[in-house]
């Protein structure tokens, strides 16, 4: 009848705001603190394999962060886990200046790892067991916007019990509420304050089984959703059989609250799909029972809904320019890559966002795998401590994604990092048979039980190498010393090492210092050492110092976390690269083994701690004695990583 038809038309445009994203029942957040080493080895792989996400509160100036730096600065972007500032060092602050550094620099770190157009509002935690000056939080809140989500969620306070953990997650759906659980280390090698591995993994299994019904989300996203929703309203500006026009508003700051709310709108029954347009954002959604569920940003402009068919065509490709402006063929930078590109086009569903990756081959990921760049059409990055090789060519690939998830990829024509005179400031392959270019060559001591000599046995390449014979350390430490090896603030030191088949420590534990790097005054900067534990075997590690006196082990706290040991097999050559950067705030040391980064300590105050001298050989044997031979060859010092 006519009245029935008019009633149906009156319903067109009716819109509800879902309580939770995708109209799910309840919300749940997994929170992990302190950028634990087990997060890299256990937590993130277990989340990723189950399609889950979590919020990780990181300490960017710790060696724990350096151990998992590829996770924090690359993988996190690809799989959608959230990084949250947790102070730089997790040590508190004695005054407002120190508090501003600890908090502000951790925010800056997180912001730089996010898409450029993402809000700067983030959950923050000062770290348990730390002390701060009175009133510090109020003083810094205006500079670093903090998402205080604790009043909005229910935090788990139960025991380390499988059933109790799962019941707490179930109750979030039962109560249609937001529940959070906090832990630190996870897995069989958890560091501290974590759940038993079987209980933790059982919880993850349960969450994976209900993620279609409950929102398993990041703390920052859910917090924004809750605050936006509290004052959100939808006004229907127009509705008929051909189009619907809405306005979604909320009493929040648009520059901070940028997470979309889920809306459900009644549409005409003859619509097959629905095109949703808000500003320059276009998406196409399916329709079920004359309703369309879609996402829209509060205060983001009017929302237009139109009948549509599904978009089956990817966006057009774009032209990718290496560099910050017009396309470049070469770059002077060894620690930074930039690119920009034109706007991709897709007439049917628009462009939702861009991603980029960087490789040494066209379309490759040898340097960085996919990084979310939001809707920005340029980037300049030094994330993951980029170390570029002079003379090497690099390519940037950009992925443009449309409103239904289809994408196109475009790759730049590449650029080469400039090779400059004297960028290799010192090189020694020992093939001359002399040690004349060394400042000091203390090759034998006492009764000659500890000796350095040149021999064919120690040659990895060429004719000769350096053989360090150890028999009794009490008779002295044979070594080579080279002064004035560089005038740069960032230095790469490379050498190759092999152990003889009879090399051993007595008793079967100990640590032998092989390389030491010194500053202008002859003060310690960093070192490489060989260790041994009967349950692990021989292993390599580095350590470094900063201006505060903090002495860090790399890749991590070896005694506390067994997976951080880097094993060394006898009679096999290994390449060791040590990268040292002197800087007021962003200095540190990075260890590479056979071309693979094994850990670093970064974001440290190392002003003045530039490498100027090196010692190499049998330098110091801690807690032990030993015998056998070390073979060392091809020592190089450069301003950049070598191929």
């Amino acid at each position: 009848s006519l009245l029935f038809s008019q009633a149906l038309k009156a319903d067109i445009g009716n819109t509800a705001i879902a309580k939770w994203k995708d109209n799910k029942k309840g919300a749940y957040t997994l929170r992990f603190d302190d950028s634990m080493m087990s997060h890299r080895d256990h937590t993130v792989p277990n989340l990723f394999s189950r399609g889950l996400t979590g919020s990780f509160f990181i300490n960017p100036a710790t060696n724990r962060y350096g151990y998992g730096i590829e996770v924090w600065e690359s993988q996190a972007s690809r799989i959608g886990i959230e990084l949250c500032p947790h102070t730089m060092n997790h040590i508190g602050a004695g005054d407002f200046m120190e508090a501003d550094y600890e908090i502000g620099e951790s925010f800056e770190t997180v912001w730089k790892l996010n898409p450029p157009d993402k809000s700067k509002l983030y959950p923050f935690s000062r770290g348990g067991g730390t002390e701060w000056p009175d009133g510090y939080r109020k003083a810094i809140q205006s500079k670093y916007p903090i998402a205080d989500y604790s009043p909005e969620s229910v935090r788990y306070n139960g025991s380390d019990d499988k059933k109790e953990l799962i019941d707490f997650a179930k109750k979030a759906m039962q109560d249609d509420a937001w529940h959070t659980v906090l832990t630190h280390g996870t897995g069989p090698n958890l560091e501290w304050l974590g759940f038993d591995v079987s209980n933790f993994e059982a919880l993850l299994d349960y969450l994976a089984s209900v993620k279609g019904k409950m929102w398993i989300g990041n703390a920052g996203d859910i917090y924004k959703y809750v605050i936006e929703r509290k004052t959100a309203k939808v006004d229907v500006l127009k509705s008929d059989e051909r189009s619907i026009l809405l306005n979604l508003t909320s009493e929040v700051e648009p520059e901070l609250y940028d997470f979309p709310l889920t809306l459900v709108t009644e549409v005409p029954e003859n619509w097959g799909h629905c095109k949703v347009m808000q500003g320059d954002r276009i998406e196409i959604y399916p329709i079920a029972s004359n309703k369309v569920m879609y996402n829209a940003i509060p205060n983001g402009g009017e929302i237009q809904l139109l009948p549509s068919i599904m978009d089956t065509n990817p966006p057009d490709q774009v032209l990718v320019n290496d560099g910050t402006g017009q396309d470049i063929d070469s770059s002077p930078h060894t620690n930074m890559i930039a690119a920009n590109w034109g706007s991709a086009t897709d007439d049917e569903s628009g462009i939702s966002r861009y991603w980029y990756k960087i490789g040494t081959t066209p379309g490759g990921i040898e340097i960085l795998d996919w990084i979310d760049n939001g809707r920005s059409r340029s980037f300049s990055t030094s994330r993951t401590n980029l170390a570029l090789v002079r003379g090497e060519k690099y390519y940037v690939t950009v992925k443009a994604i449309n409103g239904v998830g289809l994408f196109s990829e475009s790759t730049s024509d590449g650029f080469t990092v400039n090779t400059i005179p004297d960028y290799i400031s010192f090189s020694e392959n020992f093939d001359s048979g002399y040690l004349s270019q060394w400042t000091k060559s203390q090759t034998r001591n006492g009764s000659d039980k500890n000796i350095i000599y040149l021999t064919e046995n120690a040659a990895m390449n060429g004719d000769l190498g350096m053989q360090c014979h150890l028999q009794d350390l009490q008779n002295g430490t044979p070594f080579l010393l080279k002064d004035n090896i560089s005038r740069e603030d960032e230095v790469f030191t490379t050498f190759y090492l092999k152990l003889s088949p009879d090399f051993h420590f007595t008793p079967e534990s100990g640590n032998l210092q092989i390389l030491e790097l010194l500053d202008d005054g002859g003060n310690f900067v960093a070192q490489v050492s060989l260790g041994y534990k009967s349950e692990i075997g021989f292993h390599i590690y580095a350590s470094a110092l900063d201006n505060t006196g903090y002495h860090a082990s790399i890749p991590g706290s070896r005694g506390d976390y067994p997976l951080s040991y880097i094993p060394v097999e006898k009679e096999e050559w290994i390449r060791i690269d040590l990268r040292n950067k002197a800087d007021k705030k962003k200095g540190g040391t990075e260890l590479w083994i056979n071309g693979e980064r094994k850990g670093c300590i970064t974001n440290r105050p190392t002003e003045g701690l530039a490498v100027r001298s090196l010692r190499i050989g049998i330098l110091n044997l801690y807690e032990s004695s030993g015998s056998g031979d070390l073979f060392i060859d091809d020592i190089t010092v450069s301003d950049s990583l070598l191929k």
Side-chain angles (χ1 to χ4, degrees):
S1 69
L2 178 61
L3 288 176
F4 183 69
S5 175
Q6 290 174 337
L8 281 178
K9 290 181 179 179
D11 290 335
I12 294 174
N14 282 356
T15 300
I17 302 171
K19 184 174 182 180
W20 302 110
K21 183 178 182 294
D22 298 332
N23 207 21
K24 292 182 178 180
K25 194 74 171 172
Y28 190 91
T29 293
L30 291 159
R31 171 178 161 180
F32 306 92
D33 277 16
D34 299 352
S35 43
M36 299 270 81
M37 297 166 78
S38 62
H39 292 169
R40 187 197 83 167
D41 294 319
H42 180 267
T43 314
V44 171
N46 273 274
L47 292 177
F48 180 67
S49 66
R50 293 168 173 83
L52 299 174
T53 187
S55 296
F56 289 78
F57 285 66
I58 57 172
N59 306 119
T62 64
N63 56 0
R64 303 189 304 272
Y65 179 88
Y67 180 78
I69 195 165
E70 273 82 6
V71 168
W72 312 129
E73 301 200 357
S74 182
Q75 187 182 9
S77 176
R78 294 195 298 281
I79 63 179
I81 64 177
E82 177 184 49
L83 304 182
C84 301
H86 194 42
T87 76
M88 295 299 286
N89 292 280
H90 204 294
I91 57 173
D95 54 38
F96 285 108
M97 182 178 295
E98 189 176 0
D100 187 45
Y101 166 77
E102 284 290 325
I103 296 169
E105 284 295 320
S106 65
F107 266 92
E108 291 284 351
T109 299
V110 168
W111 291 342
K112 289 176 182 177
L113 296 175
N114 282 331
D117 55 355
K118 188 171 183 179
S119 160
K120 292 186 174 183
L121 177 68
Y122 263 86
F124 162 77
S125 171
R126 69 178 193 172
T130 58
E131 296 184 1
W132 297 79
D134 292 340
Y136 80 96
R137 192 178 180 103
K138 183 178 180 181
I140 56 90
Q141 184 126 21
S142 60
K143 296 174 67 175
Y144 313 109
I146 296 172
D148 185 6
Y149 71 89
S150 55
E152 310 298 336
S153 68
V154 181
R155 177 172 165 175
Y156 181 71
N157 290 311
S159 60
D160 185 3
D161 178 82
K162 183 184 306 183
K163 183 178 184 301
E164 198 169 344
L165 281 165
I166 293 174
D167 285 347
F168 180 73
K170 290 179 178 178
K171 192 166 174 53
M173 286 192 289
Q174 294 167 2
D175 296 347
D176 205 15
W178 179 17
H179 285 192
T180 63
V181 63
L182 164 63
T183 187
H184 292 72
T186 74
N189 297 295
L190 66 86
E191 295 88 337
W192 59 76
L193 297 177
F195 299 116
D196 174 83
V197 61
S198 62
N199 295 338
F200 176 71
E201 291 184 2
L203 171 63
L204 297 188
D205 288 339
Y206 172 74
L207 294 175
S209 72
V210 298
K211 64 184 179 182
K213 297 183 288 185
M214 181 168 64
W215 182 12
I216 316 296
N218 298 327
D221 293 341
I222 299 178
Y223 173 80
K224 289 178 185 178
Y225 195 103
V226 169
I227 300 303
E228 291 167 4
R229 189 195 64 213
K230 284 183 176 181
T231 59
K233 66 174 184 175
V234 179
D235 293 317
V236 182
L237 306 180
K238 173 189 174 183
S239 63
D240 57 36
E241 296 286 338
R242 293 175 296 176
S243 67
I244 299 169
L245 191 64
L246 310 171
N247 192 30
L248 171 65
T249 58
S250 179
E251 297 173 12
V252 293
E253 301 171 71
E255 66 274 12
L256 296 180
Y257 291 87
D258 60 351
F259 195 80
L261 294 175
T262 296
L263 307 183
V264 180
T265 299
E266 296 192 37
V267 298
E269 61 181 11
N270 62 338
W271 287 17
H273 287 80
C274 182
K275 178 182 286 190
V276 179
M277 298 184 292
Q278 186 182 32
D280 60 354
R281 300 171 187 269
I282 305 173
E283 293 181 293
I284 296 176
Y285 295 89
I287 293 172
S289 302
N290 296 344
K291 293 182 179 180
V292 60
M293 183 171 67
Y294 57 97
N295 298 315
I297 298 175
N299 310 313
E302 293 181 353
I303 306 163
Q304 186 174 23
L305 280 61
L306 297 169
S308 176
I309 59 174
M310 179 52 66
D311 185 357
T312 59
N313 298 310
D316 294 336
Q317 290 187 306
V318 298
L319 176 64
V320 182
N321 295 317
D322 297 302
T324 58
Q326 292 187 344
D327 186 60
I328 60 173
D329 295 323
S330 62
S331 169
H333 303 294
T334 61
N335 56 10
M336 188 271 285
I337 291 180
N340 65 95
W341 53 93
S343 179
T345 58
D346 189 304
D347 294 336
E348 295 169 290
S349 62
I351 303 299
S352 64
R353 62 200 313 108
Y354 297 96
W355 293 65
Y356 69 86
K357 61 181 178 179
I358 304 168
T360 55
T361 57
I365 57 170
E366 293 84 359
I367 305 303
L368 277 178
D369 205 342
W370 288 115
I371 298 291
D372 184 359
N373 206 51
R375 295 169 64 82
S376 297
R377 293 188 287 109
S378 65
F379 72 85
S380 178
T381 186
S382 59
R383 68 172 66 209
T384 63
N385 296 354
L386 280 181
L388 306 184
V389 178
R390 292 196 180 277
E392 184 82 80
K393 195 166 188 177
Y394 298 93
Y395 301 85
V396 175
T397 299
V398 172
K399 176 163 59 177
I401 306 174
N402 69 13
V404 297
L406 300 175
F407 62 88
S408 64
E409 294 183 16
S410 309
T411 301
S412 72
D413 61 1
F415 70 95
T416 302
V417 179
N418 294 344
T419 298
I420 60 175
D422 301 323
Y423 76 95
I424 299 177
S425 56
F426 176 71
S427 181
E428 174 66 274
N429 63 11
F430 302 106
D431 285 352
S432 70
Y434 298 97
L435 298 175
S436 56
Q437 67 170 330
W438 292 86
T439 307
K440 183 177 181 180
S441 53
Q442 184 170 303
T443 59
R444 57 183 64 207
N445 296 93
S447 58
D448 294 344
K449 290 184 177 181
N450 303 319
I451 311 169
I452 286 178
Y453 49 96
L454 305 184
T455 172
E456 295 176 355
N457 295 333
M460 191 198 77
N461 293 306
D463 300 322
L464 299 173
M466 172 181 169
Q467 184 167 350
C468 306
H469 179 70
L470 172 64
Q471 187 170 335
D472 182 358
L473 196 66
Q474 301 306 314
N475 281 276
T477 56
F479 63 88
L480 304 181
L481 169 68
K482 176 63 178 177
D483 290 329
N484 301 318
I485 57 172
S486 175
R487 302 314 300 170
E488 302 291 335
D489 285 339
E490 186 167 4
V491 173
F492 288 76
T493 306
T494 302
F495 67 100
Y496 288 82
L497 174 72
K498 184 173 72 170
L499 306 183
S500 65
D502 62 341
F503 191 89
H504 71 280
F505 288 154
T506 306
E508 292 193 348
S509 65
N511 299 277
L512 171 63
Q513 184 185 12
I514 301 168
L515 172 79
E516 183 179 38
L517 301 176
L518 309 169
D519 67 10
D520 255 331
N523 303 304
F524 174 86
V525 174
Q527 70 179 24
V528 174
S529 297
L530 176 71
Y532 185 86
K533 284 182 176 290
S534 57
E535 67 273 23
I536 294 170
F538 286 103
H539 51 274
I540 285 288
Y541 65 96
S543 59
L545 195 66
D546 70 10
N547 298 137
T548 71
Y550 177 61
H551 198 145
S553 179
I554 305 167
S557 303
R558 295 168 296 105
D560 299 330
Y561 191 74
L563 297 184
S564 66
Y565 288 87
I566 304 169
V568 176
E569 297 294 332
K570 294 180 181 180
E571 300 186 89
E572 291 185 8
W573 284 104
I574 63 169
R575 171 174 166 163
I576 301 171
D577 290 273
L578 203 62
R579 179 187 194 178
N580 292 91
K581 182 180 181 181
D583 187 85
K584 187 175 182 179
K585 289 184 178 180
K586 300 295 183 181
T589 298
E590 186 173 356
L591 176 66
W592 302 60
I593 302 293
N594 292 332
E596 180 182 351
R597 183 188 294 107
K598 291 296 186 179
C600 64
I601 181 74
T602 187
N603 298 304
R604 305 298 307 182
T606 56
E607 189 175 20
L609 292 176
V611 174
R612 298 293 178 254
S613 301
L614 74 80
R615 292 198 310 147
I616 194 165
I618 299 174
L619 303 182
N620 204 340
L621 188 61
Y622 304 99
E623 306 170 1
S624 183
S625 185
S627 66
D629 293 280
L630 297 173
F631 304 112
I632 295 172
D633 201 6
D634 291 350
I635 305 167
T636 313
V637 178
S638 174
D639 74 345
S640 55
L641 188 66
L642 299 177
K643 201 167 184 178

